[in-house]
């Protein structure tokens, strides 16, 4: 008991010299300081959220100082504090994202699930995946994207808007913060490049003829990012596309290279923009080929419609 009390007393004696390190999102910090004139390192990490039913039921009642950062269609995002601070100037504890009303697809996306590696040939894409994407597009759920592109929402957040090299909307695009970023922690920077045109739904629609446009977008996105955030350099920025994406309208993820890797950046989910450009660039001009003509291997969650409706049946039939 005495040892515990002596150890606990050390924390109150800590004198800060400087912040030594901070992970993305500020969930863990390491401070350099002294205790009794001797050097000391103090690492602080946010505790895990409680998981008991009683604690979760009371969770929302503990929130205070809720500040809306933006609203677009069914998506809302906020900063908030846990209602246990004694000082008014304490920074927000939480970044909140609200989807309301959510769909069954949202529930599946955010539920824990096993992963599978699948191989999608050009034939599987043509016969199964493309029809699925068409159905997803016809079902809507892209209003929030069109709200941004058409100037109805999030206009004050737009970092850069490019009219395109050819002066038409075919090559126009814009750059804006991803709704999951807190807009402050640069090492967790996450932006989205949204193309204006509506006929390119995923990386599968990219062709060799798009190489010049893709290179232009890459350069302009990098220039706009470092201009907006001067402490970030071009070689600290990573650009990639998801496949399968969360929504079927071509978009480029733009993140700080120090953003902690998660499943969304993993091999089998994220395809580097530079690698896609290089792959298209090497395709024979005479064929006019594109990403629809290559075989892709990637991960799918076991709750994903494509696993249950396409790849699992193919596996059971011995053809996948």
């Amino acid at each position: 008991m005495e040892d515990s009390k002596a150890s606990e007393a050390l924390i109150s004696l800590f004198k800060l010299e400087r912040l030594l390190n901070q992970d993305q999102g500020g969930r863990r910090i390491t401070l350099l300081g002294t205790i009794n004139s001797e050097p000391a390192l103090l690492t602080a990490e946010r505790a895990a959220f409680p998981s008991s039913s009683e604690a979760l039921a009371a969770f929302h009642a503990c929130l205070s100082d809720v500040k809306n950062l933006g609203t677009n269609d069914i998506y809302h995002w906020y900063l908030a504090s846990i209602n246990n601070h004694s000082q008014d100037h304490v920074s927000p504890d939480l970044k909140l994202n609200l989807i309301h009303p959510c769909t069954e697809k949202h529930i599946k996306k955010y539920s824990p699930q096993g992963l599978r590696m699948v191989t999608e040939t050009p034939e599987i894409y043509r016969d199964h995946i493309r029809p699925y994407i068409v159905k997803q597009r016809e079902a809507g759920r892209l209003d929030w994207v069109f709200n941004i592109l058409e100037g109805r929402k999030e206009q004050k957040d737009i970092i850069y808007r490019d009219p395109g090299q050819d002066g038409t909307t075919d090559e126009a695009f814009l750059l804006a913060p991803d709704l999951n970023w807190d807009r402050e922690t640069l090492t967790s920077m996450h932006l989205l490049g949204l193309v204006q045109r509506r006929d390119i739904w995923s990386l599968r629609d990219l062709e060799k003829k798009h190489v010049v446009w893709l290179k232009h977008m890459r350069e302009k996105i990098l220039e706009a990012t470092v201009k907006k955030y001067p402490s970030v350099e071009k070689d600290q920025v990573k650009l990639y596309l998801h496949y399968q994406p969360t929504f079927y309208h071509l978009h480029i993820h733009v993140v700080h290279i120090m953003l902690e890797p998660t499943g969304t950046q993993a091999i089998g989910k994220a395809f580097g923009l530079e690698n896609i450009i290089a792959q298209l660039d090497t395709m024979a001009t005479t064929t006019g080929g594109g990403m629809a003509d290559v075989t892709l291997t990637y991960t799918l969650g076991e709750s994903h419609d494509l696993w249950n409706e396409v790849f699992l049946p193919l596996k059971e039939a011995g053809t996948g």
Side-chain angles (χ1 to χ4, degrees):
M1 180 67 72
E2 292 300 321
D3 287 345
S4 296
K5 289 184 177 179
S7 177
E8 291 168 0
L10 291 175
I11 299 298
S12 62
L13 297 175
F14 183 85
K15 294 183 178 180
L16 175 67
E17 290 186 358
R18 61 187 172 93
L19 173 67
L20 199 63
N21 201 356
Q22 180 181 33
D23 75 345
Q24 69 95 1
R27 286 186 283 270
R28 185 188 302 111
I29 58 173
T30 300
L31 306 175
L32 176 62
T34 60
I35 296 177
N36 298 327
S37 301
E38 296 177 328
L41 287 175
L42 177 63
T43 298
E45 185 173 353
R46 295 183 189 275
F49 285 103
S51 58
S52 69
S53 299
E54 295 80 5
L56 291 176
F59 171 73
H60 70 281
C62 296
L63 298 176
S64 63
D65 303 319
V66 178
K67 178 184 178 182
N68 177 251
L69 292 177
T71 296
N72 188 344
D73 195 42
I74 62 173
Y75 301 97
H76 315 260
W77 48 105
Y78 316 81
L79 291 177
S81 298
I82 297 294
N83 199 10
N84 59 358
H85 294 314
S86 60
Q87 298 178 1
D88 294 336
H89 65 272
V90 173
S91 299
D93 297 302
L94 302 173
K95 166 75 164 50
L96 305 176
N97 293 337
L98 173 67
I99 304 175
H100 175 261
C102 68
T103 66
E104 184 63 30
K105 189 172 182 180
H106 290 120
I107 295 172
K108 287 181 179 180
K109 175 184 175 181
Y110 289 99
S111 298
Q113 58 181 306
L115 295 176
R116 300 285 180 150
M117 293 296 297
V118 300
T119 296
E120 180 183 303
T121 64
E123 293 74 27
I124 292 176
Y125 172 71
R126 180 194 65 215
D127 298 338
H128 301 283
I129 309 303
R130 182 70 180 184
Y132 168 82
I133 294 175
V134 170
K135 286 198 299 183
Q136 297 304 305
R137 292 276 302 190
E138 292 174 346
R141 300 297 178 187
L142 286 175
D143 286 348
W144 71 272
V145 176
F146 301 146
N147 283 341
I148 299 173
L149 294 175
E150 295 172 3
R152 292 190 293 269
K153 294 285 186 177
E154 300 184 51
Q155 298 308 289
K156 63 181 176 59
D157 295 327
I158 292 176
I159 295 168
Y160 176 74
R161 191 184 286 271
D162 192 292
Q165 297 183 98
D166 61 359
T168 73
T169 57
D170 282 351
E171 294 193 352
F173 66 93
L174 61 81
L175 182 67
D178 183 86
L179 64 86
N180 291 306
W181 183 37
D182 65 8
R183 322 290 177 93
E184 295 179 2
T185 312
L186 286 181
T187 52
S188 64
M189 180 190 74
H190 191 167
L191 314 176
L192 277 186
L194 291 170
V195 304
Q196 191 75 32
R197 61 192 298 171
R198 303 190 183 189
D199 60 335
I200 300 184
W201 303 341
S202 76
L203 64 82
R204 280 293 200 183
D205 293 310
L206 294 173
E207 300 178 7
K208 185 178 178 67
K209 65 182 180 182
H210 297 131
V211 165
V212 174
W213 175 47
L214 292 172
K215 289 180 177 179
H216 172 76
M217 277 202 293
R218 176 184 178 276
E219 186 57 33
K220 292 300 181 181
I221 286 173
L222 289 174
E223 288 178 0
T225 300
V226 301
K227 181 178 180 181
K228 177 68 174 179
Y229 309 107
S231 63
V232 178
E233 300 181 29
K234 286 185 178 182
D235 57 2
Q236 293 178 304
V237 181
K238 182 164 56 175
L239 290 79
Y240 59 86
L241 286 74
H242 281 151
Y243 194 76
Q244 297 287 329
T246 303
F247 60 96
Y248 292 100
H249 180 100
L250 188 73
H251 56 284
I252 300 170
H253 292 268
V254 183
V255 304
H256 195 287
I257 200 167
M258 293 301 291
L259 177 64
E260 287 189 353
T262 61
T264 62
Q265 294 187 63
I267 294 174
K269 178 65 175 179
F271 291 76
L273 177 61
E274 292 83 358
N275 292 337
I276 294 172
I277 292 173
Q279 189 167 7
L280 290 169
D281 222 359
T282 58
M283 291 181 176
T285 306
T286 54
T287 64
M291 295 301 294
D293 303 320
V294 302
T295 294
L296 296 177
T297 297
Y298 55 91
T299 57
L300 272 182
E302 292 177 345
S303 296
H304 199 291
D305 293 339
L306 288 177
W307 170 251
N308 291 295
E309 297 174 11
V310 178
F311 289 100
L312 180 57
L314 289 175
K315 177 183 178 181
E316 292 174 342
T319 58

